[in-house]
Amino acid sequence: DQQVKQNSPSLSVQEGRISILNCDYTNSMFDYFLWYKKYPAEGPTFLISISSIKDKNEDGRFTVFLNKSAKHLSLHIVPSQPGDSAVYFCAASAEYGNKLVFGAGTILRVKS
Amino acid sequence: KAGVTQTPRYLIKTRGQQVTLSCSPISGHRSVSWYQQTPGQGLQFLFEYFSETQRNKGNFPGRFSGRQFSNSRSEMNVSTLELGDSALYLCASSFSGLGSYEQYFGPGTRLTVT
C-alpha cells in the first residue's frame, strides 16, 4: 500500500527553466511534508518542508505547494541549475516528522 | 556543526551472520531514526529512538533491533542475515522539539550479504 506516490520516475528540464516535481498521498492523517534531494552514494539532503496548516512555503529557489483537498503537493525549482540534477524524494509524516513515509523518488536531469 | 556520521560506510557479511551499525547524530539532536533503502522497496522506516527509548517502529521482523545511548548515539543490529537484507541503511537525526520536525540523514552504511 503506497501511501506516498511520485508517479513520474524521471523529469528532464532545460537549465534556467522551472522544474515541477509532484507527489500524491492517500493518508489523510499526514500533517507534515518534506522534500529531500539525493545524490548517488550519499544520504538524502533535506530541502524544504511544509506543515498541513499552510499551502505554500518558499526557500530561495525552492517552493513547495500543498493542496490538502487533492492530497497533492509539488516542489517548484526556479531557475533550475545543472547541480540540481539528483533524485528527489517526497516524504510525509503523521507524527510530527518522526516516522517518515517516502515516495519512490523522481530523477531530475537539468540540461545545460 | 558536524553532520550525522555513520560507521562503517561499507560492510560485507555472510548469510546467517549478524551485524551492528553505528550512528552519531548531530550535536543536540535527541531523536535518531533508521531507514532501509533497497531498489525494490525504496526508503522504508525501521525504527526511531528518543531519549534511549524506542518511540516508533516500522514493519520489519524482530531480527532488526536497535538501541540508543545516553549521548544520543545509536546502534542498529541485524541478526541471522538474509540475502534480502542487502541494502543501504540510513540513519537520520532530528531535534524533535516543538516546530522542528526535519530529519537530517547520514551518508549511510552499504551492507552486502553474500
Side-chain angles (χ1 to χ4, degrees):
Chain A
D1 174 29
Q2 264 192 303
Q3 298 185 66
V4 178
K5 298 179 186 179
Q6 292 178 258
N7 292 319
S8 298
S10 65
L11 175 68
S12 187
V13 170
Q14 199 66 35
E15 181 180 6
R17 306 294 292 268
I18 184 171
S19 294
I20 300 177
L21 298 110
N22 294 304
C23 179
D24 296 298
Y25 62 95
T26 57
N27 188 341
S28 57
M29 298 299 291
F30 286 145
D31 55 12
Y32 205 75
F33 304 89
L34 308 91
W35 284 94
Y36 286 86
K37 176 171 76 172
K38 189 178 185 300
Y39 294 116
E42 293 183 14
T45 300
F46 169 73
L47 279 175
I48 192 168
S49 61
I50 188 167
S51 156
S52 60
I53 63 173
K54 295 184 175 182
D55 54 20
K56 177 183 174 182
N57 190 25
E58 208 168 342
D59 184 1
R61 296 187 298 116
F62 302 93
T63 303
V64 56
F65 295 92
L66 175 62
N67 182 334
K68 289 187 290 293
S69 60
K71 293 191 176 68
H72 176 84
L73 65 155
S74 61
L75 174 68
H76 292 209
I77 306 174
V78 184
S80 301
Q81 300 172 354
D84 295 331
S85 298
V87 181
Y88 287 77
F89 290 95
C90 164
S93 173
E95 298 175 43
Y96 294 101
N98 290 314
K99 178 179 176 179
L100 297 178
V101 179
F102 281 86
T106 296
I107 300 170
L108 173 66
R109 295 187 186 91
V110 180
K111 300 176 289 187
S112 55
Chain B
K1 254 187 197 178
V4 178
T5 58
Q6 292 186 245
T7 56
R9 291 293 312 275
Y10 302 92
L11 206 47
I12 300 175
K13 289 286 188 180
T14 304
R15 199 168 37 180
Q17 289 185 315
Q18 76 164 12
V19 67
T20 298
L21 312 181
S22 181
C23 171
S24 291
I26 292 171
S27 178
H29 285 191
R30 297 167 61 193
S31 167
V32 173
S33 299
W34 289 88
Y35 294 83
Q36 180 197 64
Q37 185 182 25
T38 59
Q41 299 297 320
L43 272 155
Q44 292 191 291
F45 174 80
L46 280 155
F47 31 65
E48 183 226 358
Y49 285 86
F50 180 81
S51 293
E52 302 178 64
T53 302
Q54 187 180 86
R55 191 161 64 170
N56 281 298
K57 191 176 187 310
N59 298 322
F60 278 80
R63 300 185 297 106
F64 291 82
S65 63
R67 58 177 175 167
Q68 187 181 33
F69 302 94
S70 58
N71 61 358
S72 293
R73 190 178 71 84
S74 177
E75 287 183 348
M76 188 193 108
N77 185 275
V78 188
S79 62
T80 319
L81 284 165
E82 300 177 0
L83 296 178
D85 297 333
S86 294
L88 180 67
Y89 289 90
L90 292 157
C91 162
S93 75
S94 67
F95 176 67
S96 203
L98 191 62
S100 175
Y101 311 122
E102 291 78 22
Q103 294 186 26
Y104 297 88
F105 285 81
T109 294
R110 171 71 64 185
L111 172 65
T112 302
V113 182
T114 62

